[in-house]
Amino acid sequence: MSNWPKYDMEFLGGRRQRRLRSSAWMRDLVRETTLTPKDFILPMFIIDGQNEKTQIKTMPGIERLSVDLAVKAAKEAAAAGIPALALFPNTPAELRNADGSEAYNPDNLMCRALRAIKNAVPEIGLIADVALDEYSSDGQDGLVRDGEILNDETISAMVHSALVQAKAGADIIAPSDMMDGRVGAIRQELDAAGYEQVAIMAYSAKYASAFYGPFREAVGSGSRLLGDKKTYQLDFANSDEGLREVAQDIDEGADMVMVKPGMPYLDMVRRVRDSFNVPVFVYQVSGEYAMIRLAGDAGAIDGKAAMLESLWAFKRAGAKGVLTYFALDAARALGA
Ligand code: PBG
């Protein structure tokens, strides 16, 4: 090698890009984005009972928690600097029906969790998911009649659900169903009931995705679900259609919008960020968590490094924040 010709590198001129990567402090100095615990929203699965926690087989490290344990976890999250939680109930089978009427029971699991956490940890923000799959007997986000998902009837149920959640202490209502017109209807009725201060984070560009599998196990909707959600969630081949959904949700009154899933849809995060002037959130969904976590556990990748890299990628793509099951681990890894 020593007698190989040395290239005349004159063509580089001053463009030696590696200068800016030459040491840790230099990389810190020129780093374009930051990642802090303030960027995270921690999703939490709630179950009935006292001092109960149950394992989610497909999500090692994540447990469903009874309300009292959720309060403890909320305290830990607040102490780690995480600004908000996203709550999802696993409604007991006997309370589920075709109407999903448990969704608007003011004393349902979601409302009890909201009240308890709001009361014990007032400094953390509470995001309430609104969709019927967490309450209905058939696992669909909408009401089903003869195999059809009914749009407008579903919205009435969702409005009632959002109202009991707001009353119980939800700071942000997050409709995750992809029905047409739900943001406008929820905004109108929240205002009419005096909840003008309650914000709406719309799951706007939500794709019909295979990456939701572990979540459906976690909330108990997966084994009930017949068919798929393709008549309402977006086709993963489409990008412009996602932008139309975002535009419409903002028009109807969404304060913040979301892209979901995360890593396979970074292009959408960037497009939404460049096209609209509202905060954009991204959901690193259950299947993404499982992939990184299980591959890390198997020693195929460095799980902790991959976790941080994936979260940073969302910031680079333009996200204001990330819903992630890694929120606590990542906050700790970042030194919180
Ligand atoms: C349901 C809902 C889903 C998720 C959040 N809310 C699942 C679905 O649409 O089937 C997925 C979250 C995840 O996979 O982590 N309305």
Side-chain angles (χ1 to χ4, degrees):
M1 235 167 83
S2 55
N3 54 0
W4 288 4
K6 199 157 177 273
Y7 287 99
D8 166 8
M9 299 290 269
E10 217 165 294
F11 61 83
L12 271 181
R15 294 164 303 193
R16 285 201 182 263
Q17 308 269 16
R18 291 183 52 197
R19 272 185 215 121
L20 297 184
R21 285 172 239 144
S22 58
S23 63
W25 67 261
M26 181 67 96
R27 292 190 294 273
D28 278 345
L29 192 66
V30 300
R31 189 156 245 186
E32 297 172 35
T33 55
T34 58
L35 185 69
T36 82
K38 300 280 175 233
D39 295 316
F40 306 142
I41 294 168
L42 174 65
M44 221 182 252
F45 299 114
I46 314 290
I47 47 170
D48 231 346
Q50 266 286 115
N51 199 23
E52 290 274 351
K53 49 179 161 188
T54 58
Q55 233 62 49
I56 303 157
K57 274 203 315 287
T58 50
M59 299 180 79
I62 305 295
E63 293 166 320
R64 305 179 193 87
L65 303 173
S66 55
V67 171
D68 55 319
L69 296 186
V71 167
K72 276 175 84 177
K75 281 185 188 147
E76 281 175 50
I82 293 167
L85 307 175
L87 303 185
F88 299 94
N90 180 316
T91 302
E94 64 276 15
L95 296 176
R96 291 179 187 253
N97 56 32
D99 298 335
S101 58
E102 183 65 7
Y104 40 89
N105 170 4
D107 214 24
N108 66 21
L109 203 45
M110 171 70 101
C111 291
R112 280 182 276 138
L114 288 166
R115 276 196 296 270
I117 299 173
K118 178 66 31 191
N119 187 41
V121 200
E123 66 273 27
I124 205 159
L126 295 180
I127 304 175
D129 192 81
V130 187
L132 295 183
D133 58 327
E134 290 138 47
Y135 309 94
S136 73
S137 43
D138 49 53
Q140 291 286 359
D141 292 22
L143 297 171
V144 189
R145 191 191 300 144
D146 303 328
E148 288 274 319
I149 308 296
L150 307 177
N151 193 85
D152 301 12
E153 291 82 345
T154 297
I155 287 181
S156 304
M158 290 181 61
V159 163
H160 284 93
S161 184
L163 287 171
V164 296
Q165 293 173 344
K167 183 152 195 269
D171 301 294
I172 300 178
I173 299 294
S176 69
D177 60 302
M178 293 297 283
M179 298 298 126
D180 286 324
R182 86 282 205 221
V183 172
I186 290 172
R187 184 70 274 160
Q188 201 176 333
E189 296 300 325
L190 284 175
D191 289 355
Y195 298 114
E196 299 90 349
Q197 290 308 317
V198 173
I200 296 178
M201 177 188 284
Y203 286 71
S204 299
K206 175 170 177 179
Y207 286 83
S209 172
F211 292 96
Y212 306 149
F215 173 95
R216 293 179 187 168
E217 185 210 330
V219 300
S221 65
S223 55
R224 300 165 200 279
L225 183 65
L226 297 173
D228 55 48
K229 301 191 177 184
K230 291 182 179 168
T231 69
Y232 46 105
Q233 297 178 348
L234 287 164
D235 180 345
F236 51 67
N238 298 349
S239 171
D240 292 344
E241 191 184 12
L243 289 198
R244 290 200 295 274
E245 286 282 1
V246 171
Q248 183 163 328
D249 284 354
I250 293 172
D251 223 43
E252 289 179 26
D255 302 284
M256 304 163 249
V257 297
M258 195 201 298
V259 172
K260 177 182 173 193
M263 283 230 285
Y265 297 87
L266 289 177
D267 59 319
M268 290 306 296
V269 177
R270 173 45 66 191
R271 278 197 86 189
V272 172
R273 167 65 188 270
D274 288 346
S275 309
F276 302 95
N277 191 16
V278 298
V280 183
F281 289 82
V282 61
Y283 201 142
Q284 182 176 52
V285 300
S286 55
E288 299 175 66
Y289 170 85
M291 285 198 300
I292 295 172
R293 179 66 209 239
L294 295 171
D297 290 353
I301 59 175
D302 176 338
K304 181 175 158 189
M307 163 184 83
L308 290 174
E309 182 178 334
S310 69
L311 294 169
W312 232 298
F314 296 127
K315 296 296 300 291
R316 191 189 65 237
K320 188 75 207 71
V322 190
L323 290 92
T324 174
Y325 302 96
F326 285 122
L328 267 175
D329 288 345
R332 286 177 184 141
L334 290 167

